[in-house]
Amino acid sequence: MFDWDNTVVKNDVGDALFYWILRNDKVLRPARWSSLNRYLTPAADRALSGACNVSAPVGMPLPTAGDTACADQIYAVYHGTTTDGAAAFSGYNHQRMSPSSAWVAQLLTGHTSAQITSYAARARAQALSAPVGTTWQVGTHRVTGWVRYYAQLRDLIHTLQRDGFAVWVASASPQLDVQVWAAGLGIPAHRVIGIQSLYTHGRQSAHLRGCGNVPDGADSVITYVSGKRCFINQDVFGIRGAAAFRPAPPGKRPVLAAGDSSTDVVFVSDAIGAHLAINRNNTPLMCQAYDNADGKWLINPMFIQPLAQRTRPYPCATSGHTHADGSLGPARRADGSVIPDQTDTVF
């Protein structure tokens, strides 16, 4: 079971799709911005309405390729604030939901799955053909414009497939987007789990598929932290209801799991054979990896442009875990004991 962004590839394919749709006028103006994401704050709703609603009628494409004010506001919300610095999202479970990640999928409301797949394919082609270091213009911002498959992860995945393992992907990018990218490594679409949108009359809605005891359309869980565990338990191992959010029995867990961030720490920890951490200096993941409580953690620097050594220890004992309300606390082992601060040694 592999995370995708910055685990199998360098950079983020959800970012690449988001930037592409803004550069190509693919966001259809909603009647109300708050209808796209239930966690959007009133301040963000007002900011988006003020910046974008004069640009196009309801249901028509917003000219974000040239309208920098609108593009900048959508971009700012994606990064968690309005252009004035007000919080863009509130009221969500930080262990189950990343509203910014859901925002990418929800901005494609009104399009068909075939259209979204074509956008993902075009964004992929552009990102793969762009030289390393390329940036794109989005509104007034310069953003990363390239993505590369890690050759080492390609080799690992192909070796696992050759040896008879079922290779799956669990990503907090839109599922249709990741399916396009995963196909490049021979991973079939039915083994890709991402943010899954619901459809009405053949067109994507702003609502999301649920997991466990969270129904479809509640829009409160995606493939994020404990939400990733839920979708893996549900879609791969057939565990239903609230139990999908809890650790599964050993016979219903991945043998190998790989990730690079706090998004991945729960499902990577669940693996029974090996936990692979790609070191991006992410505190929750690296606390577990360096502590290596079960002796099965493997750490590798990023294969392209690895980060320098973190100069200070990871603050595992005080802020190595994010609670559901967003507050920070100590990282803990499976037995509940606190993980001490850890030094960065693999870089």
Side-chain angles (χ1 to χ4, degrees):
M1 182 63 65
F2 290 84
D3 169 58
W4 191 260
D5 300 311
N6 282 300
T7 297
V8 179
V9 299
K10 170 67 175 181
N11 294 327
D12 189 299
V13 304
D15 284 353
L17 178 61
F18 174 67
Y19 301 148
W20 189 91
I21 64 176
L22 289 183
R23 286 165 52 83
N24 289 273
D25 297 346
K26 297 303 181 184
V27 178
L28 305 180
R29 184 197 149 187
R32 293 180 298 106
W33 287 93
S34 58
S35 70
L36 294 186
N37 188 298
R38 70 175 62 243
Y39 303 109
L40 198 72
T41 62
D45 181 71
R46 289 191 298 270
L48 288 161
S49 297
C52 297
N53 286 6
V54 296
S55 301
V58 172
M60 297 301 292
L62 291 164
T64 48
D67 185 343
T68 57
C70 181
D72 280 354
Q73 201 62 255
I74 295 172
Y75 176 93
V77 167
Y78 179 49
H79 289 89
T81 68
T82 67
T83 55
D84 291 334
F89 303 105
S90 66
Y92 57 95
N93 184 326
H94 290 248
Q95 280 285 310
R96 297 185 178 189
M97 169 58 64
S98 167
S100 295
S101 300
W103 184 241
V104 178
Q106 291 163 327
L107 287 171
L108 287 163
T109 294
H111 296 272
T112 67
S113 60
Q115 287 174 323
I116 295 168
T117 298
S118 74
Y119 304 157
R122 290 158 71 181
R124 174 180 178 270
Q126 189 174 63
L128 288 176
S129 63
V132 170
T134 296
T135 60
W136 298 341
Q137 189 76 29
V138 173
T140 61
H141 302 276
R142 299 299 299 183
V143 301
T144 301
W146 62 280
V147 176
R148 292 292 186 276
Y149 291 97
Y150 281 140
Q152 296 86 349
L153 268 294
R154 181 193 299 270
D155 179 70
L156 174 59
I157 286 169
H158 287 170
T159 299
L160 291 166
Q161 291 170 325
R162 184 193 65 209
D163 289 349
F165 289 94
V167 175
W168 287 71
V169 172
S171 171
S173 289
Q175 181 162 297
L176 292 175
D177 184 23
V178 184
Q179 286 173 337
V180 167
W181 283 88
L185 296 186
I187 300 172
H190 70 273
R191 287 186 179 161
V192 174
I193 309 170
I195 297 175
Q196 299 171 62
S197 299
L198 303 179
Y199 283 75
T200 302
H201 305 301
R203 295 189 177 272
Q204 184 185 290
S205 76
H207 295 298
L208 307 172
R209 181 183 174 224
C211 186
N213 57 346
V214 177
D216 291 352
D219 307 333
S220 61
V221 60
I222 60 170
T223 38
Y224 184 78
V225 197
S226 63
K228 273 198 178 184
R229 169 191 279 163
C230 183
F231 278 102
I232 291 167
N233 284 347
Q234 174 179 278
D235 293 356
V236 182
F237 297 107
I239 299 171
R240 304 298 177 188
F245 284 102
R246 298 191 290 269
K252 292 190 173 184
R253 296 194 190 190
V255 175
L256 165 70
D260 71 288
S261 74
S262 56
T263 313
D264 311 316
V265 65
V266 170
F267 93 87
V268 173
S269 297
D270 282 347
I272 60 172
H275 325 275
L276 174 59
I278 305 300
N279 187 359
R280 289 210 304 134
N281 289 354
N282 179 269
T283 293
L285 181 66
M286 299 314 296
C287 287
Q288 298 291 339
Y290 280 124
D291 185 56
N292 195 18
D294 65 359
K296 297 178 180 179
W297 282 88
L298 307 170
I299 302 171
N300 213 98
M302 291 191 293
F303 298 100
I304 299 173
Q305 299 177 344
L307 296 175
Q309 182 181 27
R310 179 185 167 98
T311 57
R312 293 174 294 170
Y314 292 96
C316 308
T318 54
S319 54
H321 173 76
T322 303
H323 297 293
D325 64 1
S327 63
L328 299 178
R332 297 182 183 274
R333 304 182 182 100
D335 65 5
S337 58
V338 173
I339 296 174
D341 292 357
Q342 299 290 318
T343 300
D344 194 27
T345 59
V346 182
F347 52 92

